[in-house]
């Protein structure tokens, strides 16, 4: 068995030992270098002729013309302007300062900091930061919104009233891909109605899809996917959609029972069985959502619970989020806690619904009597601390939600797909759960008093993680694709300009102003520069150099 590096007989190299020693005694090393420099300067004071050099430089400066100062300040302004342009372009492309990157990656290791090969942590991926890029790409998966609305009965009605399109083409295209994945299989060409529906899901025009659905029903009146399409896109009310889904349920159950018996015969039968199962699950879920919207909440809860028991492996479709919302409407908080105990697990992916519902339940225990003035005087109790920590956890997972819950930003209709930890997920959560927060007395007040404290807990910069992985850098671009153009996308964290961009901008402005003043008033600026040099610089240098000289 090989020994680990640095253990046993394998000793660290001389370079490593020197580096460790320099890191340990860095302050003493700098002090020694400073003292050594002073001693060398004192020893070679005669050879260097410092006093004579200062006198010569002073005489040279006193003979300079105003044109020299114009050229000097103009050149300085040009150079600082070029640096500013380069820094700005680099920041726009990589989200960080080039000078800071060089300082961190190259100068800091020489001064005893981190190794040059160590990746710099941050929100925006730096060139060569492959690990961060892979993590960012993995966290940019788009999910089907568990509570997505009905196109015909809700999205289209919004368009008729406001004239605005609530769904983007990108979002609808993702839904079309989902429909083709869930509702079609390779054997559809053997069944005429399914073959028609396979083409229908690819149609871009809603009218073309509806016509194709009616054609499929003309071929066979037991085509479940045709009823689904009509319920989603043609029905103008939830009641009409529910009736169509009930017809789809009868056809889906019949097809599922048949394919369940033949699923083991071949791979084609297995694919058909999976398709029929997807159709059945989708239909039952949408029926539960219809019941929820029509006020039959207990019926909706029963359908969801039966669905989760019958298909326990379909947790990826997040039916439990529909169940949580319905239970909150019933104010069955004990049942909500039981669902959270099962799905708020470290091994399962989190969501805004999971994190903020957990925070709401803990806030409910203390929010009715919470007072920030009282808490600041006596401190937080254990239950209040638990509630605050739960809010901090939720805000760290998705920092966009509080502004919608506190109505600091206006809500819009949620998209059909969401990006977890993004603004799209925040819109979808707040659209359905704002009423539940308002129902709990004092919960929004507690959220208002504590949510911004999350950012003081997170390490700097803010995007680094505390309880979760660092905040992904892909959310802004994905949310802009998912959310309509009239919505102002919430961005976190804000792209703050680095220090060196501010510094070079100030330096460029200052030197440009000096160049302009020197060009307009050459005599006055020349007298000012000579008097400033003669009064301040030579006196101090002359006294210092005289001491060394003597």
């Amino acid at each position: 068995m090989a020994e680990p590096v640095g253990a046993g007989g394998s000793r660290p190299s001389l370079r490593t030992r020197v580096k460790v020693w320099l890191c340990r005694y860095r302050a003493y090393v700098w002090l020694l270098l400073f003292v050594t420099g002073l001693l060398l300067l004192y020893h070679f004071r005669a050879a260097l002729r410092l006093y004579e050099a200062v006198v010569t430089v002073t005489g040279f400066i006193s003979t300079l013309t105003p044109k020299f100062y114009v050229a000097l300040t103009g050149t300085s302004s040009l150079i600082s302007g070029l640096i500013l342009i380069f820094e700005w372009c680099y920041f726009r492309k990589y989200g960080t300062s080039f000078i800071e990157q060089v300082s961190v990656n190259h100068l800091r290791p020489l001064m005893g900091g981190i190794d040059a090969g160590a990746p710099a942590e941050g929100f925006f991926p730096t060139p060569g930061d492959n690990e961060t890029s892979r993590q960012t790409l993995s966290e940019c998966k788009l999910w089907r919104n568990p509570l997505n609305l009905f196109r015909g009965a809700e999205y289209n009605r919004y368009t008729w009233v406001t004239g605005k399109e609530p769904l983007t083409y990108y979002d609808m295209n993702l839904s079309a891909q989902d429909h083709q994945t869930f509702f079609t299989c390779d054997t559809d060409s053997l069944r005429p109605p399914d073959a028609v529906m396979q083409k229908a899901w690819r149609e871009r025009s809603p009218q073309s899809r509806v016509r194709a659905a009616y054609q499929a029903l003309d071929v066979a009146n037991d085509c479940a996917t045709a009823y689904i399409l009509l319920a989603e896109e043609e029905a103008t009310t939830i009641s009409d959609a529910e009736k169509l889904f009930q017809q789809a349920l009868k056809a889906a159950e019949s097809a599922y029972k048949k394919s369940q018996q033949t699923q083991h015969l071949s791979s084609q039968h297995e694919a058909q069985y999976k398709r029929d199962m997807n159709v059945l699950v989708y239909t039952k879920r949408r029926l539960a959502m219809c019941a929820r919207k029509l006020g039959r909440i207990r019926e909706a809860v029963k359908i969801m619970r039966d669905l989760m028991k019958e298909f326990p492996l379909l947790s990826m479709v997040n039916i439990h989020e529909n169940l949580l919302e319905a239970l909150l409407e019933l104010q069955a908080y004990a049942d909500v806690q039981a669902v959270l105990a099962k799905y708020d697990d470290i091994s399962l992916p989190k969501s805004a619904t999971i994190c903020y519902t957990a925070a709401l339940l803990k806030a409910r225990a203390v929010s009715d009597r919470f007072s920030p003035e009282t808490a600041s005087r006596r401190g937080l109790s254990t239950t209040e601390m638990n509630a605050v920590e739960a809010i901090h956890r939720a805000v760290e997972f998705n920092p966009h939600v509080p502004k919608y819950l506190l109505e600091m930003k206006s809500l819009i209709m949620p998209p059909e797909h969401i990006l977890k930890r993004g603004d799209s997920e925040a819109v979808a959560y707040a659209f359905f759960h704002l009423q539940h927060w308002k129902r709990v007395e004092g919960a929004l007040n507690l959220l208002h008093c504590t949510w911004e404290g999350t950012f003081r807990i997170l390490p700097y910069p803010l995007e680094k993680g505390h309880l979760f992985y660092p905040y992904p850098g892909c959310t802004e671009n994905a949310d802009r694709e998912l959310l309509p153009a009239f919505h102002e996308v919430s961005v976190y964290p804000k792209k703050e300009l680095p220090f060196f961009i501010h510094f070079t901008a100030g330096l460029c402005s200052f030197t440009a102003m000096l160049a302009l003043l020197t060009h307009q008033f050459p005599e006055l600026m020349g007298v000012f520069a000579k008097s400033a040099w003669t009064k301040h610089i030579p006196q101090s240098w002359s006294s210092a150099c005289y001491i060394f000289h003597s």
Side-chain angles (χ1 to χ4, degrees), residues 88 91 95-97 100 124 460-462 493-499 501-502:
W88 174 253
F91 172 75
T96 186
S97 166
E100 290 178 359
F124 300 96
Y460 183 83
L462 296 179
K494 294 286 185 182
K495 286 187 178 181
E496 296 182 357
L497 293 179
F499 164 76
I501 289 184
H502 291 288

Side-chain angles (χ1 to χ4, degrees), residues 101-216:
Q101 284 296 112
V102 172
S103 303
V104 170
N105 295 334
H106 299 286
L107 299 181
R108 187 178 173 186
L110 297 178
M111 299 173 64
I114 60 174
D115 295 335
E121 298 179 1
F123 175 66
F124 300 96
T126 57
D129 197 354
N130 297 328
E131 187 63 30
T132 305
S133 301
R134 284 196 297 269
Q135 179 181 337
T136 299
L137 291 175
S138 65
E139 292 189 358
C140 287
K141 177 182 177 182
L142 298 177
W143 299 74
R144 183 81 175 175
N145 183 3
L147 297 168
N148 66 303
L149 305 177
F150 295 87
R151 283 194 188 177
E154 293 174 304
Y155 286 120
N156 287 349
R157 292 174 68 87
Y158 177 83
T159 304
W160 298 337
V161 173
T162 63
K164 297 179 180 179
E165 291 289 343
L167 296 177
T168 63
Y169 174 77
Y170 178 73
D171 192 15
M172 292 188 289
N173 186 51
L174 290 176
S175 298
Q177 295 176 16
D178 293 340
H179 295 152
Q180 294 177 46
T181 302
F182 296 149
F183 301 149
T184 63
C185 64
D186 297 336
T187 61
D188 284 348
S189 57
L190 303 177
R191 295 177 301 279
D194 291 333
V196 175
M197 289 305 301
Q198 194 173 39
K199 296 178 181 178
W201 297 121
R202 298 194 183 102
E203 294 287 348
R204 292 190 176 183
S205 169
Q207 294 80 9
S208 300
R209 288 195 294 271
V210 170
R211 282 197 302 266
Y214 278 117
Q215 291 175 7

Side-chain angles (χ1 to χ4, degrees), residues 150 153 231-232 235 237-246 287 290:
F150 295 87
E232 291 287 351
T237 64
I238 300 298
S239 299
D240 293 340
E242 185 181 33
K243 294 175 183 177
L244 289 168
F245 275 120
Q246 287 172 349
L287 277 172
C290 288

Side-chain angles (χ1 to χ4, degrees), residues 464-504:
K464 292 186 178 181
H466 176 60
L467 299 173
F468 298 98
Y469 288 110
Y471 192 79
C474 61
T475 55
E476 180 181 355
N477 294 331
D479 283 333
R480 292 191 188 280
E481 294 286 342
L482 291 173
L483 297 170
F486 59 82
H487 174 70
E488 182 184 355
V489 175
S490 178
V491 180
Y492 170 82
K494 294 286 185 182
K495 286 187 178 181
E496 296 182 357
L497 293 179
F499 164 76
F500 285 102
I501 289 184
H502 291 288
F503 177 76
T504 51

Side-chain angles (χ1 to χ4, degrees), residues 322-382:
N322 300 81
L323 180 60
L324 284 172
E325 197 278 328
L327 291 173
L328 286 172
E329 182 65 21
L330 290 174
Q331 302 185 42
Y333 297 111
D335 294 335
V336 172
Q337 185 61 55
V339 176
L340 286 177
K342 182 178 180 181
Y343 288 97
D344 192 4
D345 186 79
I346 192 172
S347 61
L348 296 176
K350 298 292 181 291
S351 67
T353 302
I354 293 291
C355 296
Y356 278 90
T357 302
L360 176 61
L361 291 188
K362 293 190 176 180
R364 177 175 169 268
V366 298
S367 59
D368 57 339
R369 55 183 180 277
F370 177 79
S371 170
E373 294 80 10
T374 306
S376 61
R377 288 197 305 268
R378 61 168 172 79
L380 295 175
S381 63
T382 304

